[in-house]
Amino acid sequence: MVAPEPPWPTINGVRTKLAGFINQLGSSVDVLSPPGTGGQPPPAATWTVFTVPVTERSRVRALASRNLPIAAHFPSSQVLGMLGRLLDSGARYDVLHLDTLATAHLAAPLRRFMLGRGYRPTIVVSLNDSYSLLLSSGGLNDRLKPRMYCHYVKAVERRLLPDADWVDVVSEQDLAWLRDLVPRARTRLIPLGVDMAEFSGPRLEPRFEVLYLGTMAHHGFHWLRMALDSTIGLLRSRVPNARIAVAGPDATPEALEYFARHGVVHLGFVKDLSALLRSTRLLLVSSRQRAGTPTKALQAMAAGTPVVGMEALDGIPQGRDNVSFSRATSWADLADRVADILSDEDLASRLGAGGRELAGRHHAWPVVRDRYFDFAGERGQAQPC
């Protein structure tokens, strides 16, 4: 596996999406990650980690070859040299997993290198989100720089993704976008996973009525403020003394001033996320981006916590409005739905149970792992090369 970030706990215990998948693998995994990102792998890990040094020259070379700048973390010559040493030591690989678009430039050189050694492993580029769709989402595309960068990323996707055997995305929107943008790529939907056991447990005495989890930088705080501006008045008229909390990375001074003015509790980083979710009456997903899957929504669903949001919830495969979650169509509708759930225990219980059922059936890590390795079963659904 080649990963732009080490897939073990780093700052404040935050883990990349790849960590849960690696923990499901029964065989050893070799992970190539850039150095200097902090953290140490857990002692019980069955996989080893190798780092690739980065130089300014390699960063410039990455840009010149139309790769994303972060591709400089993985100069192909150094990655191939490292892989050669692993093969010489007896390592054998059935799958070469390239995590996110930042490593997709390695697909073609890896194929040539492995064929030269007499091996034909399956090469997978796992995108998580489609970068070009993410950049084109509402709220992100209102300035010249994002529009220019989106055009650049589209060119990178068109050029690099057909080199892999499979391109994995996590939602129907990403799948449809890439099948139209890069029809030569063989795309498939592999949903994000969630650790059902970690978020299982009894519902706890409510500490908060409404909880938001995630970033408060840039567009994240913009969408959160829009949601709260629309919701707080109606919520507190129908649910007196409603408690609202925000958890996540350090907030900006602007965000902290806003929270203080509206009586919103800023929790900062929360170590026991499971207990927090199980002691919250609903999770607010204010993001309106059309790419990817909101991971915090999956965690809340696994905890049996009702989820209310807008476009971002469309990124949950098989999800259904008023069954798995409550999906609003406007800020005013969002406010009504939040107030309805907090005023109706039966509705809240039904949404919590529906979300947990969906998470267990489609997003539990063992389910995702088995689907990932079902390459033969996917062949009939693939786009032709």
Side-chain angles (χ1 to χ4, degrees), residues 96-379:
L96 299 180
H97 176 102
L98 304 176
D99 204 54
T100 81
L101 185 61
T103 64
H105 65 289
L106 296 169
L110 281 172
R111 184 183 308 285
R112 291 191 296 268
F113 180 81
M114 295 299 282
L115 286 175
R117 292 287 193 109
Y119 304 116
R120 183 57 168 86
T122 300
I123 298 178
V124 178
V125 173
S126 181
L127 291 180
N128 293 328
D129 309 342
S130 166
Y131 282 54
S132 58
L133 178 56
L134 177 66
L135 287 167
S136 72
S137 292
L140 292 177
N141 205 28
D142 55 356
R143 298 184 302 277
L144 179 61
K145 185 177 179 180
R147 287 199 298 271
M148 293 176 63
Y149 196 55
C150 184
H151 178 76
Y152 174 75
V153 172
K154 283 183 180 180
V156 172
E157 289 181 334
R158 287 192 185 101
R159 175 182 174 184
L160 298 181
L161 296 185
D163 292 333
D165 291 309
W166 293 101
V167 177
D168 291 351
V169 293
V170 296
S171 71
E172 282 94 348
Q173 298 99 305
D174 296 306
L175 193 67
W177 175 270
L178 286 180
R179 284 185 170 175
D180 181 63
L181 180 70
V182 196
R184 293 190 301 121
R186 304 181 74 187
T187 49
R188 60 179 191 161
L189 194 157
I190 305 295
L192 289 181
V194 64
D195 186 338
M196 295 298 294
E198 179 181 353
F199 293 96
S200 294
R203 300 294 298 170
L204 304 175
E205 185 69 23
R207 294 175 55 197
F208 304 105
E209 275 64 50
V210 177
L211 174 68
Y212 168 85
L213 295 172
T215 179
M216 278 152 276
H218 309 303
H219 61 279
F221 176 63
H222 167 75
W223 279 324
L224 174 61
R225 183 172 57 189
M226 292 287 289
L228 292 179
D229 283 346
S230 304
T231 302
I232 286 177
L234 176 63
L235 172 61
R236 288 185 169 149
S237 69
R238 291 178 57 179
V239 186
N241 302 315
R243 298 159 296 181
I244 303 172
V246 170
D250 293 337
T252 63
E254 176 191 9
L256 291 174
E257 188 277 330
Y258 178 90
F259 299 150
R261 179 159 31 98
H262 290 281
V264 175
V265 178
H266 179 238
L267 301 174
F269 172 73
V270 175
K271 186 174 182 180
D272 191 348
L273 184 57
S274 175
L276 176 62
L277 285 170
R278 288 183 287 118
S279 61
T280 298
R281 295 182 64 188
L282 69 81
L283 180 75
L284 179 67
V285 179
S286 56
S287 172
R288 304 194 68 171
Q289 73 179 44
R290 295 177 291 128
T293 297
T295 55
K296 302 307 181 187
L298 291 181
Q299 292 168 337
M301 292 162 68
T305 301
V307 175
V308 187
M310 297 180 69
E311 285 91 334
L313 296 182
D314 296 340
I316 300 177
Q318 310 296 322
R320 294 170 57 196
D321 180 28
N322 289 322
V323 176
S324 318
F325 45 67
S326 183
R327 200 287 203 190
T329 57
S330 67
W331 295 119
D333 186 28
L334 183 75
D336 285 334
R337 287 170 181 260
V338 168
D340 286 346
I341 291 171
L342 295 179
S343 304
D344 187 336
E345 289 294 338
D346 289 340
L347 174 61
S349 296
R350 188 172 74 249
L351 287 173
R356 180 164 174 80
E357 192 276 334
L358 178 69
R361 181 158 39 93
H362 289 287
H363 296 276
W365 272 120
V367 175
V368 175
R369 174 200 61 205
D370 292 346
R371 183 164 180 177
Y372 176 94
F373 287 109
D374 185 22
F375 300 115
E378 294 283 350
R379 285 200 173 93

Side-chain angles (χ1 to χ4, degrees), residues 85-103:
R85 291 191 292 274
L86 290 169
L87 294 174
D88 291 341
S89 68
R92 297 294 178 265
Y93 303 102
D94 298 304
V95 180
L96 299 180
H97 176 102
L98 304 176
D99 204 54
T100 81
L101 185 61
T103 64

Side-chain angles (χ1 to χ4, degrees), residues 56-77:
E56 281 305 313
R57 178 175 294 181
S58 62
R59 184 179 297 277
V60 171
R61 189 181 302 120
L63 283 168
S65 59
R66 294 185 64 79
N67 296 328
L68 295 181
I70 196 173
H73 288 308
F74 304 101
S76 58
S77 60

